[in-house]
Amino acid sequence: MGSIQAIRGTRDILPDEVSTWQFVEATAREILNRAAFREIRTPIFEQTDLFARGMGEATDVVSKEMYTFLDRGERSLTLRPEGTAGAVRSYIEHGLQAQGGPQRLWYVGPMFRYERPQAGRQRQFHQLGLELLGSGDERADVEAIAVATDILQALGLKDLKFDLNSIGDGTDRQAFRSALVDYLTPYKTDLDPDSQDRLNRNPLRILDSKDQNTQRILDGAPSILDHLSPASKARFDRVQQLLADLGIACKVNPRLVRGLDYYTHTVFEIQSDDLGAQATVCAGGRYDGLVAELGGPETPAVGWAMGLERLILLLQKVQAAPIVKTDFYLVSRGEKAEAQALRIAQQLRQAGFKAELDLSGSAFGKQFKRADRSGAAACLILGDAEAEKRTVQLKWLTTGDQSEIQQADIAQYCDDWRRLMAQGTM
Ligand code: ATP
Ligand code: MG
């Protein structure tokens, strides 16, 4: 019988890699905290209707990428393909707007989309995202963006490209949409098949077609920026001004649109050239229509999501994963010694040290080799002789210094050891 493997498009994140994930999450958490964003955790599956309404039936995600199934009670459920719809459902369901002032929320977790797996594209992947609900102020857009750029900077990522656009409000977009359809219709048969399909369903999405011929046709297409109302244009100008004030460099890209229907005004994407075709690490924008669309009060909002797999791919290029070392490695042999070593490991852990216990029962030589590999600062050694005397051999692996100490004195040594290890002198 063959062994069972992980499902195509999913990946195990093995312990060697987890330290990089924890570094990314801890860095992001700290920066989100400083900007007063609070974490929200919502379920991984929701009613299918939430995503159909929240993202729009015409989007790629809803029309072809969702993991939708009937549960045993014949309800149509969907594994969340993104985090915004769930966060907004929760915001409405729990009346978070009643807490007064804008709500600053963030989340992290797995998302599910049925896509063709490749580097930087999986069927189960992870997003870290932020939602700032309840403010239509331009400063909210810029604050949200600044948190994203701060996180990327704190991770040490450089040479990222930041594209910005405004897709106006619903009225602006309707005018643009029909101008775009009018322009593209005569070229219909020259467009790539996906774009032909989108011409009626979701024509704005044609703007980010990867097809070269379609892109050439688009060179002569009308620009959304020429269809913004004076108010929408003033809003966009202010966002750009505030970003410039913060020293956040961006490029206005009039072809940048988001695939999700609920976006209004600001849209943005942060990309890296080091990721091949899957270049976008962070994408977001304003979605003033969504809360009302999902049955809540009219609520302006802005947010973004980062793809963690892509961030990690980039990080692996700029820095080696931090090595997590242990403080003490405990080597023991013989029934009595082994029991004492177990007790000492526990004592050290309770005193705040990281202690790794060798469970092999193998020859001392083999255990010493593993102690060296563990990167421990010190090795504690117990054999039959030590067990009888209730002592332990303490060997500093960096210097090779060794001494025999009483087990009863370990508690008294802890402060010294902590100091030595913090100084890195041992
Ligand atoms: P793409 O054009 O790459 O498909 P998208 O527009 O579908 O992206 P969003 O829905 O905006 O992506 O999601 C935000 C981020 O989540 C993306 O920029 C990307 O970093 C990440 N992401 C989206 N889909 C996947 C996936 N299948 N695998 C890994 N990361 C993904
Ligand atoms: Mg996609």
Side-chain angles (χ1 to χ4, degrees):
M1 227 173 26
S3 60
I4 295 176
Q5 299 187 331
I7 290 168
R8 183 169 141 81
T10 70
R11 265 187 82 237
D12 297 311
I13 301 166
L14 298 175
D16 277 347
E17 229 187 328
V18 162
S19 52
T20 309
W21 283 78
Q22 290 174 338
F23 167 66
V24 169
E25 287 161 8
T27 304
R29 184 171 288 126
E30 169 67 22
I31 289 167
L32 287 155
N33 243 330
R34 288 188 216 158
F37 283 82
R38 298 187 305 154
E39 185 178 1
I40 183 166
R41 302 186 185 190
T42 63
I44 283 179
F45 54 82
E46 301 266 4
Q47 278 182 41
T48 300
D49 199 38
L50 173 67
F51 303 112
R53 268 164 66 189
M55 302 179 79
E57 305 272 3
T59 56
D60 283 355
V61 174
V62 173
S63 62
K64 355 182 224 211
E65 297 174 357
M66 292 208 300
Y67 275 94
T68 297
F69 60 97
L70 287 182
D71 76 357
R72 289 174 192 276
E74 304 284 307
R75 303 171 194 89
S76 179
L77 305 181
T78 293
L79 301 185
R80 63 180 184 194
E82 54 100 51
T84 301
V88 168
R89 179 207 40 76
S90 178
Y91 172 87
I92 298 168
E93 186 171 336
H94 301 286
L96 295 187
Q97 77 280 357
Q99 293 187 1
Q103 283 290 311
R104 292 182 173 84
L105 307 175
W106 70 275
Y107 59 82
V108 63
M111 307 293 161
F112 306 85
R113 297 185 194 179
Y114 194 80
E115 300 197 75
R116 197 168 68 77
Q118 51 202 292
R121 190 176 294 289
Q122 296 173 195
R123 289 181 174 171
Q124 173 171 339
F125 61 101
H126 297 78
Q127 284 184 338
L128 184 141
L130 156 169
E131 320 289 352
L132 202 172
L133 296 133
S135 172
D137 196 287
E138 291 90 342
R139 286 172 301 162
D141 307 38
V142 174
E143 185 172 81
I145 290 170
V147 171
T149 56
D150 276 353
I151 292 173
L152 297 169
Q153 194 178 14
L155 292 174
L157 299 175
K158 298 195 185 74
D159 302 323
L160 298 172
K161 291 187 304 187
F162 175 15
D163 278 14
L164 180 74
N165 194 23
S166 170
I167 54 172
D169 61 17
T171 318
D172 303 339
R173 212 141 14 117
Q174 222 153 21
F176 173 62
R177 188 186 155 113
S178 55
L180 184 66
V181 173
D182 287 348
Y183 169 82
L184 288 173
T185 304
Y187 298 102
K188 177 158 185 182
T189 49
D190 302 325
L191 297 173
D192 61 279
D194 268 350
S195 296
Q196 290 190 25
D197 193 44
R198 285 170 175 155
L199 194 54
N200 298 316
R201 285 193 306 127
N202 198 358
L204 263 59
R205 252 341 292 254
I206 297 174
L207 294 177
D208 64 12
S209 162
K210 302 278 187 295
D211 183 79
Q212 291 208 345
N213 197 44
T214 300
Q215 279 298 332
R216 225 167 317 157
I217 294 170
L218 286 167
D219 285 339
S223 165
I224 178 75
L225 297 178
D226 297 327
H227 289 80
L228 296 183
S229 69
S232 297
K233 179 158 188 323
R235 186 177 198 293
F236 188 36
D237 288 343
R238 177 131 177 91
V239 168
Q240 291 177 68
Q241 183 57 52
L242 293 170
L243 284 170
D245 288 351
L246 294 188
I248 298 174
C250 65
K251 190 174 133 261
V252 173
N253 172 5
R255 287 199 198 163
L256 177 64
V257 289
R258 300 291 309 143
L260 313 183
D261 277 354
Y262 51 70
Y263 282 99
T264 51
H265 299 291
T266 307
V267 289
F268 73 95
E269 254 180 35
I270 302 176
Q271 301 199 335
S272 163
D273 284 336
D274 294 331
L275 284 171
Q278 271 56 252
T280 307
V281 290
C282 178
R286 180 158 279 286
Y287 52 92
D288 290 347
L290 182 63
V291 182
E293 173 66 34
L294 292 178
E298 281 292 340
T299 307
V302 58
W304 50 252
M306 287 181 183
L308 293 188
E309 276 76 7
R310 294 183 197 178
L311 273 190
I312 304 257
L313 282 172
L314 280 179
L315 269 181
Q316 287 166 342
K317 290 192 174 147
V318 299
Q319 59 167 47
I323 301 162
V324 187
K325 291 193 170 179
T326 192
D327 297 325
F328 289 101
Y329 193 93
L330 287 102
V331 164
S332 58
R333 199 161 151 79
E335 199 179 310
K336 233 172 157 179
E338 285 167 359
Q340 290 174 8
L342 174 66
R343 189 181 47 71
I344 294 170
Q346 180 76 349
Q347 181 184 3
L348 290 168
R349 290 167 189 157
Q350 288 172 353
F353 292 102
K354 185 169 172 196
E356 187 172 342
L357 184 66
D358 194 307
L359 293 172
S360 66
S362 52
F364 277 118
K366 281 191 176 166
Q367 296 196 44
F368 289 143
K369 277 207 186 100
R370 274 194 293 271
D372 282 330
R373 274 206 303 271
S374 77
C379 188
L380 293 176
I381 308 151
L382 289 99
D384 293 334
E386 287 79 15
E388 267 335 301
K389 291 185 279 177
R390 299 191 80 72
T391 61
V392 57
Q393 302 285 342
L394 167 68
K395 182 176 179 185
W396 294 96
L397 292 174
T398 36
T399 61
D401 289 351
Q402 188 168 334
S403 55
E404 185 168 0
I405 60 173
Q406 293 294 324
Q407 291 180 18
D409 294 341
I410 286 177
Q412 285 160 315
Y413 282 112
C414 280
D415 284 341
D416 283 351
W417 292 341
R418 215 181 331 267
R419 199 163 28 78
L420 287 171
M421 287 179 185
Q423 289 168 350
T425 47
M426 278 302 192

